[in-house]
Coordinates of all heavy atoms in Angstrom, one line a residue:
M1 N 167.5 69.2 147.6 CA 166.1 69.8 147.6 C 166.2 71.3 147.3 O 167.1 72.0 147.9 CB 165.5 69.6 149.0 CG 164.2 70.3 149.2 SD 163.5 69.7 150.7 CE 162.5 71.2 151.2
T2 N 165.4 71.8 146.5 CA 165.5 73.2 146.1 C 164.5 74.0 147.0 O 163.4 73.6 147.1 CB 165.0 73.3 144.6 OG1 165.8 72.5 143.8 CG2 165.2 74.8 144.2
V3 N 165.0 75.0 147.5 CA 164.2 75.9 148.3 C 163.8 77.1 147.5 O 164.7 77.8 147.1 CB 165.0 76.3 149.6 CG1 164.1 77.3 150.4 CG2 165.4 75.1 150.4
A4 N 162.6 77.3 147.4 CA 162.1 78.5 146.6 C 162.2 79.7 147.6 O 161.8 79.7 148.7 CB 160.7 78.3 146.2
T5 N 162.7 80.8 147.0 CA 162.7 82.0 147.8 C 161.9 83.0 147.0 O 161.6 82.9 145.9 CB 164.2 82.5 148.0 OG1 164.6 83.1 146.7 CG2 165.1 81.5 148.4
F6 N 161.6 84.1 147.8 CA 160.8 85.1 147.1 C 161.7 86.3 146.9 O 161.2 87.4 146.6 CB 159.6 85.5 148.0 CG 158.6 84.4 148.0 CD1 158.6 83.5 149.1 CD2 157.7 84.2 147.0 CE1 157.7 82.5 149.2 CE2 156.8 83.2 147.1 CZ 156.8 82.3 148.1
D7 N 163.0 86.1 147.0 CA 163.9 87.2 146.8 C 164.3 87.4 145.3 O 164.7 88.5 144.9 CB 165.2 87.0 147.6 CG 164.9 87.0 149.1 OD1 164.1 87.9 149.5 OD2 165.5 86.3 149.8
Q8 N 164.2 86.3 144.6 CA 164.5 86.5 143.2 C 163.5 87.3 142.5 O 162.4 87.5 142.9 CB 164.7 85.1 142.5 CG 163.5 84.2 142.9 CD 163.9 82.7 142.7 OE1 164.8 82.4 141.9 NE2 163.2 81.8 143.3
P9 N 163.9 88.0 141.4 CA 163.0 88.8 140.6 C 161.8 88.0 140.2 O 161.9 86.9 139.8 CB 163.8 89.2 139.4 CG 165.3 88.9 139.7 CD 165.3 87.8 140.8
T10 N 160.7 88.7 140.4 CA 159.4 88.0 140.0 C 159.4 87.7 138.5 O 159.9 88.5 137.7 CB 158.2 88.9 140.3 OG1 158.6 90.3 140.0 CG2 157.8 88.8 141.8
S11 N 159.0 86.5 138.2 CA 158.9 86.2 136.8 C 157.9 87.0 136.1 O 157.0 87.6 136.8 CB 158.6 84.7 136.7 OG 157.2 84.5 136.7
T12 N 158.0 87.0 134.8 CA 157.0 87.9 134.1 C 155.6 87.3 134.2 O 154.7 87.9 133.7 CB 157.4 87.9 132.6 OG1 157.6 86.6 132.1 CG2 158.7 88.7 132.4
A13 N 155.5 86.1 134.7 CA 154.2 85.5 134.8 C 153.3 86.1 136.0 O 152.2 85.7 136.1 CB 154.3 84.0 135.0
H14 N 154.0 86.9 136.8 CA 153.2 87.4 137.9 C 153.3 88.9 138.0 O 154.4 89.5 138.1 CB 153.8 86.8 139.2 CG 153.5 85.3 139.3 ND1 152.2 84.9 139.6 CD2 154.2 84.2 139.2 CE1 152.2 83.6 139.7 NE2 153.4 83.1 139.4
L15 N 152.1 89.5 138.0 CA 152.1 90.9 138.2 C 152.3 91.2 139.7 O 151.9 90.5 140.6 CB 150.7 91.4 137.8 CG 150.4 91.2 136.3 CD1 149.0 91.5 136.0 CD2 151.3 92.1 135.4
T16 N 152.9 92.4 140.0 CA 153.1 92.7 141.3 C 152.3 94.0 141.7 O 151.6 94.6 140.9 CB 154.6 93.1 141.5 OG1 154.9 94.3 140.9 CG2 155.5 92.0 141.0
R17 N 152.4 94.3 142.9 CA 151.7 95.5 143.4 C 152.2 96.8 142.8 O 151.6 97.8 142.8 CB 151.9 95.6 144.9 CG 150.6 95.9 145.7 CD 150.8 95.7 147.1 NE 150.7 94.3 147.5 CZ 150.7 93.8 148.7 NH1 150.8 94.7 149.7 NH2 150.6 92.5 148.9
Q18 N 153.4 96.7 142.2 CA 154.0 97.8 141.5 C 153.4 98.0 140.1 O 153.6 99.0 139.5 CB 155.5 97.7 141.4 CG 156.2 98.2 142.7 CD 156.0 97.3 143.9 OE1 156.2 96.1 143.8 NE2 155.5 97.9 145.0
D19 N 152.7 97.0 139.6 CA 152.2 97.1 138.3 C 150.8 97.8 138.4 O 149.9 97.4 139.2 CB 152.0 95.7 137.7 CG 153.3 95.0 137.4 OD1 154.1 95.7 136.8 OD2 153.5 93.9 137.7
R20 N 150.7 98.8 137.6 CA 149.5 99.7 137.7 C 148.8 99.7 136.4 O 149.4 99.8 135.4 CB 149.9 101.1 138.1 CG 150.5 101.2 139.5 CD 149.5 101.0 140.6 NE 150.0 100.4 141.8 CZ 149.3 100.2 142.9 NH1 148.0 100.4 142.9 NH2 149.9 99.7 144.0
C21 N 147.5 99.8 136.5 CA 146.6 100.0 135.3 C 147.0 101.2 134.6 O 147.2 102.3 135.2 CB 145.2 100.1 135.8 SG 144.0 100.4 134.4
D22 N 147.2 101.1 133.3 CA 147.6 102.2 132.5 C 146.5 103.3 132.4 O 146.8 104.4 132.0 CB 148.0 101.7 131.0 CG 149.3 100.9 131.0 OD1 150.1 101.2 131.9 OD2 149.4 100.0 130.2
R23 N 145.3 102.9 132.7 CA 144.2 103.8 132.5 C 143.9 104.6 133.8 O 143.6 105.7 133.7 CB 143.0 103.0 132.1 CG 143.1 102.4 130.7 CD 143.2 103.4 129.6 NE 143.2 102.8 128.3 CZ 144.4 102.5 127.7 NH1 145.5 102.7 128.3 NH2 144.4 101.9 126.5
C24 N 143.9 103.9 134.9 CA 143.4 104.5 136.1 C 144.4 104.5 137.3 O 144.2 105.1 138.3 CB 142.1 103.9 136.6 SG 142.2 102.3 137.2
G25 N 145.5 103.7 137.1 CA 146.5 103.7 138.2 C 146.2 102.7 139.3 O 147.0 102.6 140.3
A26 N 145.1 102.0 139.2 CA 144.8 100.9 140.2 C 145.8 99.8 140.0 O 146.4 99.7 139.0 CB 143.4 100.5 140.1
Q27 N 145.8 98.9 141.0 CA 146.7 97.7 140.8 C 146.3 96.9 139.6 O 145.1 96.7 139.4 CB 146.7 96.9 142.1 CG 147.7 95.7 141.9 CD 147.8 95.0 143.2 OE1 147.4 95.4 144.3 NE2 148.5 93.8 143.1
A28 N 147.3 96.6 138.8 CA 147.0 95.8 137.6 C 146.9 94.3 137.8 O 147.8 93.8 138.5 CB 148.0 96.1 136.5
F29 N 145.9 93.7 137.2 CA 145.8 92.2 137.4 C 145.8 91.5 136.0 O 145.8 90.3 135.9 CB 144.5 91.9 138.1 CG 144.7 92.1 139.6 CD1 144.1 93.3 140.1 CD2 145.3 91.2 140.4 CE1 144.3 93.6 141.5 CE2 145.5 91.5 141.8 CZ 144.9 92.7 142.3
V30 N 145.9 92.3 135.0 CA 146.0 91.7 133.6 C 147.0 92.4 132.8 O 147.1 93.7 132.8 CB 144.6 91.9 132.9 CG1 144.7 91.2 131.5 CG2 143.5 91.3 133.7
K31 N 147.9 91.7 132.2 CA 148.8 92.2 131.3 C 148.5 91.7 129.9 O 148.4 90.5 129.6 CB 150.3 91.8 131.7 CG 151.3 92.4 130.7 CD 152.7 92.2 131.3 CE 153.2 90.8 131.0 NZ 154.6 90.6 131.5
A32 N 148.5 92.7 129.0 CA 148.2 92.3 127.6 C 149.4 92.7 126.7 O 149.9 93.8 126.8 CB 147.0 93.1 127.0
T33 N 150.0 91.7 126.1 CA 151.1 91.9 125.2 C 150.6 92.0 123.8 O 150.1 91.0 123.3 CB 152.2 90.8 125.4 OG1 152.6 90.7 126.7 CG2 153.4 91.1 124.5
L34 N 150.8 93.1 123.2 CA 150.2 93.3 121.8 C 151.0 92.5 120.8 O 152.2 92.2 121.0 CB 150.3 94.8 121.5 CG 149.5 95.7 122.4 CD1 149.5 97.1 121.8 CD2 148.1 95.2 122.6
A35 N 150.3 92.1 119.8 CA 150.9 91.3 118.8 C 151.7 92.1 117.8 O 152.2 91.5 116.8 CB 149.8 90.5 118.1
T36 N 151.7 93.3 118.0 CA 152.5 94.2 117.1 C 154.0 93.9 117.2 O 154.4 93.4 118.3 CB 152.2 95.7 117.3 OG1 152.4 95.9 118.7 CG2 150.8 96.0 116.9
G37 N 154.8 94.4 116.3 CA 156.2 94.1 116.3 C 157.0 94.4 117.6 O 157.8 93.6 118.0
D38 N 156.6 95.4 118.2 CA 157.4 95.8 119.4 C 157.0 95.1 120.7 O 157.5 95.3 121.7 CB 157.4 97.3 119.6 CG 156.0 97.9 119.6 OD1 155.1 97.1 119.5 OD2 155.9 99.1 119.8
G39 N 155.9 94.3 120.5 CA 155.4 93.6 121.7 C 155.1 94.4 122.9 O 155.4 94.1 124.0
M40 N 154.5 95.6 122.6 CA 154.2 96.5 123.7 C 153.2 95.9 124.7 O 152.3 95.1 124.4 CB 153.5 97.7 123.0 CG 153.1 98.8 124.0 SD 152.3 100.1 123.0 CE 151.7 101.1 124.4
E41 N 153.5 96.2 126.0 CA 152.7 95.6 127.0 C 151.8 96.7 127.7 O 152.2 97.8 127.9 CB 153.6 95.0 128.1 CG 154.4 93.8 127.6 CD 155.3 93.3 128.7 OE1 155.6 94.0 129.6 OE2 155.8 92.1 128.5
L42 N 150.6 96.3 127.9 CA 149.6 97.2 128.5 C 149.2 96.5 129.8 O 149.0 95.3 129.9 CB 148.4 97.4 127.6 CG 148.7 98.1 126.3 CD1 147.5 98.1 125.4 CD2 149.2 99.5 126.5
L43 N 149.0 97.3 130.8 CA 148.5 96.8 132.1 C 147.1 97.3 132.4 O 146.8 98.5 132.1 CB 149.5 97.2 133.2 CG 150.9 96.7 133.1 CD1 151.8 97.3 134.1 CD2 150.9 95.2 133.2
F44 N 146.3 96.4 132.9 CA 144.9 96.8 133.2 C 144.5 96.3 134.6 O 144.9 95.2 135.0 CB 144.0 96.2 132.2 CG 144.2 96.7 130.8 CD1 144.9 95.9 129.9 CD2 143.7 97.9 130.4 CE1 145.1 96.4 128.6 CE2 143.9 98.4 129.1 CZ 144.6 97.6 128.2
C45 N 143.7 97.1 135.3 CA 143.0 96.6 136.4 C 141.8 95.7 135.9 O 141.6 95.7 134.7 CB 142.4 97.7 137.2 SG 141.2 98.7 136.4
G46 N 141.1 95.0 136.7 CA 140.0 94.2 136.3 C 139.0 94.9 135.5 O 138.5 94.5 134.5
H47 N 138.7 96.1 136.0 CA 137.6 96.9 135.4 C 138.0 97.3 134.0 O 137.2 97.1 133.0 CB 137.4 98.2 136.2 CG 136.5 99.2 135.6 ND1 135.1 99.1 135.6 CD2 136.8 100.3 134.8 CE1 134.6 100.1 134.9 NE2 135.6 100.8 134.4
H48 N 139.2 97.8 133.8 CA 139.6 98.3 132.5 C 139.9 97.2 131.5 O 139.8 97.4 130.3 CB 140.7 99.3 132.6 CG 140.2 100.7 133.0 ND1 140.4 101.2 134.3 CD2 139.5 101.6 132.3 CE1 139.9 102.4 134.4 NE2 139.3 102.7 133.2
F49 N 140.3 96.1 132.1 CA 140.5 95.0 131.1 C 139.2 94.5 130.5 O 139.1 94.3 129.3 CB 141.2 93.8 131.8 CG 141.3 92.6 130.9 CD1 142.2 92.6 129.8 CD2 140.6 91.4 131.1 CE1 142.3 91.6 128.9 CE2 140.7 90.3 130.3 CZ 141.5 90.4 129.2
R50 N 138.2 94.5 131.4 CA 136.9 94.1 130.8 C 136.5 95.1 129.7 O 135.9 94.7 128.7 CB 135.8 94.1 131.9 CG 135.7 92.8 132.6 CD 134.4 92.6 133.4 NE 134.3 93.7 134.4 CZ 134.9 93.6 135.6 NH1 135.6 92.6 135.9 NH2 134.7 94.6 136.5
A51 N 136.8 96.4 129.9 CA 136.4 97.4 129.0 C 137.1 97.2 127.6 O 136.6 97.6 126.6 CB 136.7 98.8 129.6
H52 N 138.3 96.6 127.7 CA 139.2 96.6 126.5 C 139.4 95.1 126.0 O 140.0 94.9 125.0 CB 140.5 97.2 126.7 CG 140.4 98.7 127.0 ND1 140.4 99.6 126.0 CD2 140.4 99.3 128.2 CE1 140.3 100.8 126.6 NE2 140.3 100.7 127.9
E53 N 138.8 94.2 126.7 CA 139.1 92.8 126.4 C 138.9 92.4 125.0 O 139.7 91.8 124.3 CB 138.3 91.9 127.4 CG 138.6 90.4 127.1 CD 137.9 89.5 128.2 OE1 137.2 90.1 129.0 OE2 138.2 88.3 128.2
Q54 N 137.7 92.7 124.5 CA 137.3 92.3 123.2 C 138.2 92.8 122.1 O 138.7 92.1 121.2 CB 135.9 92.7 122.9 CG 134.8 91.9 123.6 CD 133.4 92.1 123.1 OE1 133.1 93.2 122.6 NE2 132.6 91.1 123.2
K55 N 138.6 94.1 122.3 CA 139.5 94.7 121.3 C 140.9 94.0 121.4 O 141.5 93.8 120.3 CB 139.7 96.2 121.6 CG 139.3 97.1 120.4 CD 139.6 98.5 120.7 CE 138.6 99.2 121.7 NZ 138.9 100.6 121.9
L56 N 141.4 93.8 122.6 CA 142.7 93.1 122.7 C 142.7 91.8 122.1 O 143.6 91.4 121.4 CB 143.1 93.1 124.2 CG 143.3 94.5 124.8 CD1 143.3 94.3 126.4 CD2 144.6 95.0 124.3
V57 N 141.7 91.0 122.4 CA 141.6 89.6 121.9 C 141.5 89.6 120.4 O 142.2 88.9 119.7 CB 140.4 88.8 122.5 CG1 140.3 87.5 121.8 CG2 140.7 88.6 124.0
A58 N 140.7 90.5 119.9 CA 140.5 90.6 118.4 C 141.8 91.0 117.8 O 142.1 90.6 116.6 CB 139.5 91.7 118.1
A59 N 142.7 91.8 118.5 CA 143.9 92.2 117.9 C 145.0 91.1 118.1 O 146.2 91.3 117.7 CB 144.4 93.5 118.6
G60 N 144.7 90.0 118.7 CA 145.6 88.9 118.9 C 146.6 89.1 120.0 O 147.7 88.5 120.0
A61 N 146.3 90.0 120.9 CA 147.2 90.2 122.1 C 147.3 89.0 123.0 O 146.3 88.2 123.1 CB 146.7 91.4 122.9
T62 N 148.4 88.8 123.6 CA 148.6 87.7 124.5 C 148.1 88.2 125.9 O 148.7 89.3 126.4 CB 150.1 87.3 124.6 OG1 150.4 86.8 123.3 CG2 150.2 86.2 125.6
I63 N 147.2 87.6 126.5 CA 146.6 88.0 127.7 C 147.1 87.2 128.9 O 147.0 86.0 129.0 CB 145.1 87.9 127.7 CG1 144.5 88.6 126.4 CG2 144.5 88.5 129.0 CD1 144.8 90.0 126.3
L64 N 147.7 88.0 129.9 CA 148.1 87.3 131.2 C 147.0 87.8 132.2 O 147.0 88.9 132.6 CB 149.5 87.7 131.6 CG 149.9 87.3 133.0 CD1 150.0 85.8 133.1 CD2 151.2 88.0 133.4
D65 N 146.1 86.9 132.5 CA 145.0 87.2 133.3 C 145.2 86.7 134.8 O 145.2 85.5 135.0 CB 143.7 86.7 132.7 CG 142.5 87.1 133.5 OD1 142.6 87.7 134.6 OD2 141.4 86.9 132.9
E66 N 145.5 87.6 135.7 CA 145.7 87.2 137.1 C 144.6 87.8 137.9 O 144.7 88.0 139.1 CB 147.0 87.7 137.5 CG 148.2 87.0 136.8 CD 149.5 87.1 137.4 OE1 149.7 87.9 138.3 OE2 150.4 86.3 137.1
R67 N 143.4 87.9 137.4 CA 142.3 88.5 138.2 C 141.9 87.6 139.3 O 141.3 88.1 140.3 CB 141.1 88.8 137.2 CG 141.3 90.1 136.5 CD 140.2 90.4 135.5 NE 140.1 89.3 134.5 CZ 139.2 89.2 133.6 NH1 138.2 90.1 133.6 NH2 139.2 88.3 132.7
H68 N 142.2 86.3 139.1 CA 141.9 85.4 140.2 C 142.6 85.8 141.5 O 142.3 85.3 142.6 CB 142.2 84.0 139.8 CG 143.6 83.8 139.5 ND1 144.1 84.1 138.2 CD2 144.7 83.3 140.2 CE1 145.5 83.8 138.2 NE2 145.8 83.4 139.4
R69 N 143.7 86.6 141.3 CA 144.5 87.0 142.5 C 143.9 88.2 143.2 O 144.4 88.5 144.3 CB 145.9 87.2 142.1 CG 146.6 86.0 141.6 CD 148.0 86.3 141.1 NE 148.8 87.0 142.1 CZ 149.6 88.0 141.9 NH1 149.8 88.4 140.6 NH2 150.3 88.6 142.8
I70 N 142.9 88.8 142.6 CA 142.4 90.0 143.2 C 142.0 89.8 144.7 O 142.3 90.5 145.6 CB 141.2 90.6 142.4 CG1 141.7 91.1 141.1 CG2 140.5 91.7 143.2 CD1 140.7 91.6 140.1
D71 N 141.3 88.6 144.9 CA 140.8 88.3 146.2 C 141.8 87.9 147.2 O 141.6 87.8 148.4 CB 139.7 87.2 146.1 CG 138.5 87.7 145.4 OD1 138.2 88.9 145.4 OD2 137.8 86.9 144.8
E72 N 143.0 87.6 146.6 CA 144.1 87.2 147.5 C 144.9 88.3 148.1 O 145.7 88.1 149.0 CB 145.1 86.3 146.7 CG 144.5 85.0 146.2 CD 145.5 84.3 145.3 OE1 146.6 84.7 145.2 OE2 145.0 83.3 144.7
Q73 N 144.6 89.5 147.6 CA 145.4 90.7 148.1 C 145.0 91.0 149.6 O 143.8 91.0 149.9 CB 145.1 91.9 147.2 CG 145.5 91.7 145.8 CD 147.0 91.4 145.7 OE1 147.8 92.2 146.3 NE2 147.4 90.3 145.0
P74 N 146.0 91.1 150.4 CA 145.7 91.6 151.8 C 145.1 93.0 151.7 O 145.4 93.8 150.9 CB 147.1 91.6 152.4 CG 148.1 91.6 151.3 CD 147.4 91.0 150.1
A75 N 144.2 93.2 152.6 CA 143.6 94.5 152.7 C 144.6 95.5 152.9 O 145.5 95.4 153.8 CB 142.6 94.5 153.8
E76 N 144.6 96.5 152.1 CA 145.7 97.5 152.2 C 145.0 98.9 152.2 O 144.6 99.4 151.2 CB 146.6 97.4 150.9 CG 148.0 97.8 151.3 CD 148.9 97.6 150.0 OE1 148.4 97.3 149.0 OE2 150.1 97.9 150.2
R77 N 144.9 99.4 153.4 CA 144.2 100.7 153.5 C 145.3 101.8 153.5 O 146.3 101.7 154.2 CB 143.4 100.8 154.8 CG 142.6 99.6 155.0 CD 141.2 99.8 154.5 NE 140.5 98.5 154.3 CZ 139.2 98.3 154.3 NH1 138.5 99.4 154.5 NH2 138.7 97.2 154.2
V78 N 145.0 102.9 152.8 CA 145.9 104.0 152.8 C 145.6 104.9 154.0 O 144.5 105.3 154.1 CB 145.8 104.8 151.5 CG1 146.8 105.9 151.5 CG2 146.1 103.8 150.3
Ligands
LIG1 ZN1 142.0 100.7 135.5

Protein backbone atom coordinates (compact mmCIF):
# COMPACT_ATOMS: atom_id res chain seq x y z
CA MET A 1 0.00 0.00 0.00
CA THR A 2 1.31 3.34 -0.99
CA VAL A 3 1.22 6.09 1.55
CA ALA A 4 0.96 9.54 0.12
CA THR A 5 3.03 12.12 1.87
CA PHE A 6 3.03 15.84 1.54
CA ASP A 7 6.76 16.10 1.86
CA GLN A 8 7.52 15.49 -1.74
CA PRO A 9 7.78 18.48 -4.02
CA THR A 10 4.39 19.69 -5.08
CA SER A 11 3.59 18.66 -8.58
CA THR A 12 3.22 21.35 -11.18
CA ALA A 13 -0.49 20.72 -11.08
CA HIS A 14 -0.87 22.52 -7.80
CA LEU A 15 -0.18 26.10 -7.04
CA THR A 16 1.11 26.82 -3.60
CA ARG A 17 0.92 29.70 -1.23
CA GLN A 18 4.32 30.73 -2.52
CA ASP A 19 2.89 31.30 -5.97
CA ARG A 20 1.99 34.93 -6.32
CA CYS A 21 0.06 36.88 -8.89
CA ASP A 22 2.49 38.55 -11.28
CA ARG A 23 0.31 41.64 -11.27
CA CYS A 24 -0.56 42.34 -7.67
CA GLY A 25 1.30 39.83 -5.50
CA ALA A 26 -1.82 38.16 -4.12
CA GLN A 27 -1.84 34.41 -3.89
CA ALA A 28 -2.04 32.94 -7.36
CA PHE A 29 -4.75 30.47 -8.25
CA VAL A 30 -4.27 30.34 -11.99
CA LYS A 31 -1.17 29.51 -13.96
CA ALA A 32 -1.08 30.25 -17.65
CA THR A 33 1.62 28.66 -19.75
CA LEU A 34 2.08 30.63 -22.91
CA ALA A 35 2.11 28.82 -26.20
CA THR A 36 5.22 30.67 -27.26
CA GLY A 37 8.46 28.78 -27.71
CA ASP A 38 9.85 29.33 -24.25
CA GLY A 39 6.66 28.21 -22.53
CA MET A 40 6.70 31.20 -20.24
CA GLU A 41 4.47 30.86 -17.21
CA LEU A 42 2.34 33.60 -15.77
CA LEU A 43 0.64 33.48 -12.41
CA PHE A 44 -2.61 35.23 -11.65
CA CYS A 45 -4.92 35.74 -8.75
CA GLY A 46 -8.58 35.15 -9.53
CA HIS A 47 -9.16 38.83 -10.18
CA HIS A 48 -6.31 39.32 -12.62
CA PHE A 49 -6.93 36.07 -14.41
CA ARG A 50 -10.43 37.25 -15.20
CA ALA A 51 -8.93 40.46 -16.52
CA HIS A 52 -6.58 38.59 -18.85
CA GLU A 53 -8.44 35.36 -19.51
CA GLN A 54 -9.73 36.18 -22.97
CA LYS A 55 -6.33 37.31 -24.19
CA LEU A 56 -4.63 34.24 -22.77
CA VAL A 57 -7.12 31.82 -24.24
CA ALA A 58 -6.99 33.59 -27.57
CA ALA A 59 -3.23 33.24 -27.51
CA GLY A 60 -3.55 29.50 -26.98
CA ALA A 61 -2.11 29.51 -23.48
CA THR A 62 -2.52 26.43 -21.33
CA ILE A 63 -4.57 27.40 -18.31
CA LEU A 64 -4.24 25.72 -14.95
CA ASP A 65 -7.25 27.00 -13.09
CA GLU A 66 -7.31 26.28 -9.39
CA ARG A 67 -9.71 29.00 -8.40
CA HIS A 68 -11.96 26.35 -6.91
CA ARG A 69 -9.33 26.15 -4.18
CA ILE A 70 -9.72 29.77 -3.15
CA ASP A 71 -12.43 28.86 -0.67
CA GLU A 72 -10.35 26.04 0.74
CA GLN A 73 -7.65 28.33 2.01
CA PRO A 74 -7.51 28.59 5.76
CA ALA A 75 -8.05 32.08 6.98
CA GLU A 76 -4.68 33.69 7.15
CA ARG A 77 -4.56 37.02 8.85
CA VAL A 78 -1.39 39.01 8.85
ZN1 LIG B 1 -3.60 39.87 -9.06
